[in-house]
Amino acid sequence: KAGVTQTPRYLIKTRGQQVTLSCSPISGHRSVSWYQQTPGQGLQFLFEYFSETQRNKGNFPGRFSGRQFSNSRSEMNVSTLELGDSALYLCASSSRPPSYEQYFGPGTRLTVT
Amino acid sequence: GENVEQHPSTLSVQEGDSAVIKCTYSDSASNYFPWYKQELGKRPQLIIDIRSNVGEKKDQRIAVTLNKTAKHFSLHITETQPEDSAVYFCAAHLPGFQKLVFGTGTRLLVSP
């Protein structure tokens, strides 16, 4: 099976802009979670989608949003970018619950200047 | 709220030594505890996991132990090799949520 893929892999944006990141889960996996990874804060949970529904959300401002499509692909959007949004954004997929194993994509490295 | 503490933040060992990384979780409802290995510039890779109904699990040179009473779990790597050098993350899963709460990571350096 192909692994989790994310596009784009690298992105440079300017403060105030918005950005959309994409994640394609492992075939057959219906749950997609998003995490922000920074050197100072580690891996922080953003949100999780299952069957196009957001089931859980982390402590991030409303500028961070996401969605999931019927084919389980997911996107996350960050509006009004701030310098502090510079991070590696990782998505992870897992199969139908109660399987808890999450498999990560390579991430999108976002740099905000 | 849920919290996972991980120690040490860095660990240096000689090739062939054993390495132990410890994590403590706060929510007693946590029921699944994975460990991820992240090499520089790569994605986190699931290397071993344990569920709350098991006390220990082994896979070749790595093992994980869980003490539910004390709410802590540990990763043990024996006969370390230079290719074990990476950042290791522990995590705890809350039932009812597809959400992992991660520790802050341990940078393991294995010197030849």
Side-chain angles (χ1 to χ4, degrees), chain B residues 2-84:
Chain B
E2 60 269 1
N3 185 45
V4 175
E5 293 188 1
Q6 183 172 349
H7 300 281
S9 57
T10 59
L11 180 59
S12 293
V13 299
Q14 292 291 317
E15 183 176 1
D17 288 349
S18 295
V20 180
I21 303 170
K22 299 181 179 180
C23 289
T24 303
Y25 59 99
S26 60
D27 195 319
S28 57
S30 298
N31 62 350
Y32 170 71
F33 307 90
W35 285 87
Y36 286 86
K37 174 185 179 182
Q38 187 175 29
E39 297 176 79
L40 190 62
K42 296 191 176 180
R43 72 187 76 189
Q45 295 273 14
L46 178 65
I47 57 171
I48 195 168
D49 55 15
I50 192 168
R51 300 196 180 225
S52 58
N53 59 348
V54 175
E56 183 176 3
K57 183 177 179 181
K58 289 183 179 179
D59 183 4
Q60 299 183 340
R61 294 186 299 108
I62 61 174
V64 56
T65 58
L66 171 65
N67 183 326
K68 286 174 56 179
T69 303
K71 291 192 285 186
H72 67 69
F73 57 112
S74 301
L75 177 71
H76 304 254
I77 305 174
T78 58
E79 300 174 24
T80 53
Q81 301 169 3
E83 51 265 39
D84 294 329

Side-chain angles (χ1 to χ4, degrees), chain A residues 58-76:
Chain A
N59 294 326
F60 280 82
R63 300 184 297 106
F64 291 81
S65 63
R67 59 178 176 169
Q68 186 180 35
F69 302 94
S70 58
N71 62 358
S72 295
R73 187 177 70 86
S74 178
E75 289 181 347
M76 67 164 281

Side-chain angles (χ1 to χ4, degrees), chain A residues 82-93:
Chain A
E82 300 177 359
L83 294 179
D85 296 333
S86 294
L88 180 67
Y89 290 88
L90 293 158
C91 74
S93 77

Side-chain angles (χ1 to χ4, degrees), chain A residues 4 31 33 35 37 43 45 48 55-56 94 99-102 104-106, chain B residues 31-32 36 38 41 43-44 46 49 51 89 93 95 97-100 102:
Chain A
V4 179
S31 170
S33 300
Y35 296 87
Q37 185 174 28
L43 281 151
F45 173 79
E48 185 261 346
R55 299 194 299 175
N56 200 13
S94 61
S99 173
Y100 299 134
E101 292 85 355
Q102 293 190 20
F104 282 88
Chain B
N31 62 350
Y32 170 71
Y36 286 86
Q38 187 175 29
R43 72 187 76 189
L46 178 65
D49 55 15
R51 300 196 180 225
F89 291 95
H93 182 283
F97 299 92
Q98 264 315 79
K99 169 182 175 180
L100 291 175
F102 282 86

